[in-house]
């Protein structure tokens, strides 16, 4: 089974600054998908960004970007120009490429606090 | 549109009650999921329905009974719950991972916050 590790339970960032959340994973598969989900206090899980392992280019979505290092099995999320609305729990997740495997393996989460 | 709806938002029930949680999506997704989430923890998968058939049951106690009446609806029937079952219950849906352009990305509903007294 794949494991996903997020090692910094809580991180603080000043508004307008940049914060980077780290995620590492363990897998023997060569193709898979990686996700970052955001869960604000309202508790709805919102997809932030998705990365396909077979793509070398790092995914970006507006102020959110990832640094995907396949050999190192690392998938960090960078939040630029942090806003108060970015305060949330962020979960890194892994999903196998193989058809029929619908499971998401989640990390334990990073709590992001944005300081005005 | 990536909306998954869940009702009710909040539910308080006694240990002898029977209640149901409802989830609905109109995105044409063919896989639907139930998760249980405790505070400050990641979601834990409970059940997966694929093409309206139960494909994954993560050894969930029988006091939780899922049902998929059609491709848009997913229910979770609750009976004789325990206080430790109090949690946020999240529903999610996805395209068929084998054929979809978004690679089976799961989209979550807002959840039902359940309290068992």
């Amino acid at each position: 089974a794949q494991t996903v590790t997020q090692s910094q339970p809580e991180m603080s960032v000043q508004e307008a600054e940049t914060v980077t959340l780290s995620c590492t994973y363990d897998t023997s598969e060569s193709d898979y998908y990686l996700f970052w989900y955001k869960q604000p206090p309202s508790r709805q899980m919102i997809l932030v960004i998705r990365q396909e392992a077979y793509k070398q280019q790092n995914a970006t979505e507006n102020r959110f970007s990832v640094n995907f290092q396949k050999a190192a099995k690392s998938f960090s999320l960078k939040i630029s120009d942090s806003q108060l609305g970015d305060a949330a729990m962020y979960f890194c997740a892994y999903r196998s490429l193989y058809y029929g495997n619908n499971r998401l393996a989640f990390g334990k989460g990073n709590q992001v606090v944005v300081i005005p | 549109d990536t909306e998954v709806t869940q009702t009710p938002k909040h539910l308080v029930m006694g240990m002898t009650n029977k209640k149901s949680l409802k989830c609905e999506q109109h995105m044409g997704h063919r896989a639907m999921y139930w998760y249980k989430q405790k505070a400050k923890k990641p979601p834990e998968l409970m059940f997966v329905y694929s093409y309206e058939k139960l494909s994954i049951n993560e050894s969930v106690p029988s006091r939780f009974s899922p049902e998929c009446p059609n491709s848009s609806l997913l229910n979770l029937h609750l009976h004789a719950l325990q206080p430790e079952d109090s949690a946020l219950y999240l529903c999610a849906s996805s395209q068929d991972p084998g054929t979809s352009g978004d690679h089976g990305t799961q989209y979550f509903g807002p959840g039902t916050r359940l309290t068992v007294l």
Side-chain angles (χ1 to χ4, degrees), chain B residues 5-20:
Chain B
T5 59
Q6 289 186 244
T7 54
K9 284 190 168 61
H10 300 276
L11 179 62
V12 179
M13 59 187 291
M15 291 194 287
T16 58
N17 292 157
K18 287 186 183 181
K19 296 285 185 184
S20 296

Side-chain angles (χ1 to χ4, degrees), chain A residues 2 4-5 21 24 30 62 69-70 72 80-81 91 102 111:
Chain A
Q2 289 79 21
V4 178
T5 301
L21 311 181
T24 59
S30 57
N62 300 315
Q69 300 288 328
K70 191 173 184 180
S80 303
D81 185 24
F91 292 99
N102 289 357
Q111 182 71 53

Side-chain angles (χ1 to χ4, degrees), chain B residues 23-109:
Chain B
C23 173
E24 193 165 3
Q25 57 87 15
H26 293 288
M27 296 178 278
H29 289 174
R30 302 312 301 268
M32 296 186 77
Y33 312 76
W34 279 117
Y35 288 88
K36 174 183 177 180
Q37 187 181 26
K38 291 282 201 179
K40 298 204 179 290
K41 300 288 187 185
E44 298 170 17
L45 184 64
M46 299 174 73
F47 303 103
V48 180
Y49 274 83
S50 180
Y51 292 88
E52 296 141 61
K53 289 189 176 4
L54 183 65
S55 61
I56 295 174
N57 177 342
E58 293 287 48
S59 302
V60 178
S62 60
R63 56 186 185 267
F64 295 91
S65 174
E67 178 196 20
C68 189
N70 59 55
S71 60
S72 301
L73 279 175
L74 185 67
N75 298 321
L76 186 63
H77 302 299
L78 314 172
H79 174 55
L81 294 193
Q82 304 296 311
E84 59 265 28
D85 297 321
S86 298
L88 182 72
Y89 288 84
L90 293 165
C91 173
S93 70
S94 74
Q95 297 272 20
D96 180 336
T99 61
S100 68
D102 69 354
H103 310 292
T105 297
Q106 292 184 28
Y107 297 94
F108 287 81

